[in-house]
Amino acid sequence: MARVVMVGGGVVGLCGALMLGRDGHQVTVLERDTAPPTDPEAAWNGWERRGVNQFRMLHYFAPRFQGVMEANAPEVVRALEDAGALRSNPFREIPAEITGGFRESDAVYDAVTARRPIAEAAIARVVEANGNVTVQRGVAVDGLITGDSTGEGVPHVIGVRTEGGDELLADIVIDAGGRRSSLPKLLTAIGARAPIEEQEDCGFVYYGRHFRSSDGSVPAMFGPLLMPYESLSVLTLPADNGTWGVGLVVSAKDAALRGLKDVDTWTRTVKGYPLAAHWLDGEPIDEGVAIMAKIEDRHRTFVIDGKPVATGVLALADSWACTNPSVGRGISIGVIHAEALRALLQDAPSDPVELSRAWYDATMENVEPWYRGTLAFDQGRLAQIHAEMDGKLFEPEPEYEMTMALQAATAKDPEMLRTFLDIAGVVASPAEVFARPGLFERVIELGSGWRDEALPGLSREELLATVGA
């Protein structure tokens, strides 16, 4: 069994540490932020996570997260439910005449979801109860410790050095430092080649608020969680303990909509979308409108031309790649990555170079398609919004065209609804879905008119008038 240092104690870092601890690895998690309160409401109101800029923004744990954790650490799912997380499944909630009735196989669409502070606090309690995992909080990593090189020009990492000057040795260092991971800087500081990095602003801005019901219920779903309109998307996300979030997602270039930061303007705008307006029927539980901008799409490659930039250190989840969070895939992609790490270390190559290459291969196979698919969807949606803003004809790429056609087909065929939820719930990748025999033809048959089947809501002109632009 290996000694592992996990840098970063967010949701994926904790879940990854727990998976490895269950296999007998000795794992030390280093997290720069403070420990969570034990009470869910105290976690929401008072827990500060400076390292996670989206900590109190809208969050959703897609069905794949629940599936991965049930298979690898089911105690996490139980802890979330004990903390008040909501278990939902559209096939248990939507009328049978639309779904064709619930089937045993529809359990794959079960989601257990909560606000990020409540979920992370519950997961932290489970992890800290595992005898093979030690969590050290308030500890930041300042550098990597190297040993004898395992290949020409390739540094080998044997541990980390904290900002307090402590040194922790390890057989493997896993970086789960999230969107703000400094791994490239730490690598070049030990003489490693910098990873190849693709990076750009994703182009979206979020305006969100959270609400609570008086009876512990959440609003009825009249549309998908993410509803695209002409130049704006509406997010309606159920959460824990009778709470939920509502978000408006717009282009960062749309200066006319910056008035959405005002509570009255934001509220007036949400009321203009009939499928979402009733989500305002609750007590606001945060002050004002929370805004998240300057979100990066970023991808890092740590094995270049078959040669790792360093050995002994592996990048996990957002430290490897991250995208715009509006489609709710990030944490699910992260735990898929953690599950792949668990599998790799169950039969890990003894040679550190081969281990790095094997991790690269596992990443490419298990999560790279999800990153590329998410990026393509985001780029398509942004192009659609900009075309609406400029009054131009939108000419989508084929992949985006098919995604929108599939969404339009969901209301016409229960099998199309299941197919759409395979992608939306991170159950099966777009490439896997559209490779199914006969699917392409069926989507074209039912969904090719998607441009003329817009959801009810404000036109661009009406939206600008509502915002006062």
Side-chain angles (χ1 to χ4, degrees), residues 178-428:
R179 288 178 172 270
R180 297 180 175 178
S181 163
S182 60
L183 183 57
K185 180 180 177 181
L186 297 177
L187 288 168
T188 55
I190 60 171
R193 178 180 178 179
I196 296 174
E197 188 163 279
E198 309 165 31
Q199 181 174 313
E200 61 180 323
D201 192 306
C202 78
F204 292 98
V205 178
Y206 292 76
Y207 299 89
R209 301 197 79 195
H210 286 85
F211 298 84
R212 184 193 308 278
S213 67
S214 59
D215 60 3
S217 65
V218 296
M221 297 293 302
F222 295 153
L225 299 177
L226 176 63
M227 295 181 278
Y229 292 89
E230 286 185 353
S231 55
L232 169 152
S233 295
V234 180
L235 273 170
T236 51
L237 301 181
D240 59 279
N241 297 293
T243 66
W244 62 88
V246 180
L248 301 177
V249 188
V250 306
S251 167
K253 294 182 179 180
D254 202 344
L257 298 185
R258 290 175 186 166
L260 292 171
K261 64 185 178 182
D262 173 73
V263 169
D264 291 338
T265 302
W266 183 91
T267 302
R268 190 166 61 247
T269 301
V270 175
K271 287 181 177 178
Y273 297 93
L275 301 183
H278 65 291
W279 286 72
L280 299 178
D281 296 338
E283 176 192 359
I285 58 173
D286 42 16
E287 295 182 8
V289 177
I291 303 171
M292 184 167 65
K294 300 185 183 300
I295 311 158
E296 293 177 340
D297 290 322
R298 193 200 64 238
H299 180 281
R300 292 168 176 164
T301 301
F302 294 89
V303 175
I304 304 170
D305 297 328
K307 185 177 181 179
V309 300
T311 57
V313 58
L314 306 175
L316 177 65
D318 282 356
S319 175
W320 155 72
C322 55
T323 62
N324 162 40
S326 70
V327 291
R329 296 175 180 172
I331 287 177
S332 290
I333 295 173
V335 295
I336 293 170
H337 210 193
E339 183 179 45
L341 176 65
R342 180 186 192 183
L344 176 66
L345 296 188
Q346 285 173 343
D347 189 23
S350 58
D351 177 66
V353 172
E354 290 306 313
L355 178 64
S356 294
R357 289 172 177 157
W359 180 236
Y360 171 82
D361 291 342
T363 297
M364 294 297 292
E365 177 183 354
N366 290 280
V367 288
E368 179 80 9
W370 280 109
Y371 173 80
R372 296 299 172 187
T374 304
L375 194 63
F377 177 83
D378 286 344
Q379 291 170 342
R381 177 59 180 149
L382 201 59
Q384 182 183 15
I385 289 174
H386 290 163
E388 294 288 351
M389 289 169 56
D390 298 337
K392 296 179 179 179
L393 178 66
F394 174 51
E395 298 181 357
E397 295 293 326
E399 183 175 343
Y400 188 77
E401 173 89 28
M402 288 300 295
T403 300
M404 298 306 291
L406 175 59
Q407 181 163 334
T410 60
K412 304 166 187 175
D413 183 340
E415 298 315 307
M416 293 298 99
L417 176 58
R418 288 176 170 84
T419 301
F420 177 75
L421 289 176
D422 282 340
I423 298 174
V426 201
V427 174

Side-chain angles (χ1 to χ4, degrees), residues 6-11 14 28-35 47-52 120 135-141 176-177:
M6 181 75 72
V7 181
V11 170
L14 290 171
T28 300
V29 178
L30 303 180
E31 168 54 51
R32 68 164 56 239
D33 289 340
T34 59
W47 189 16
E48 293 299 324
R49 287 283 272 116
R50 294 175 300 163
V52 185
E120 189 171 315
V135 181
Q136 297 185 21
R137 296 188 179 271
V139 179
V141 170

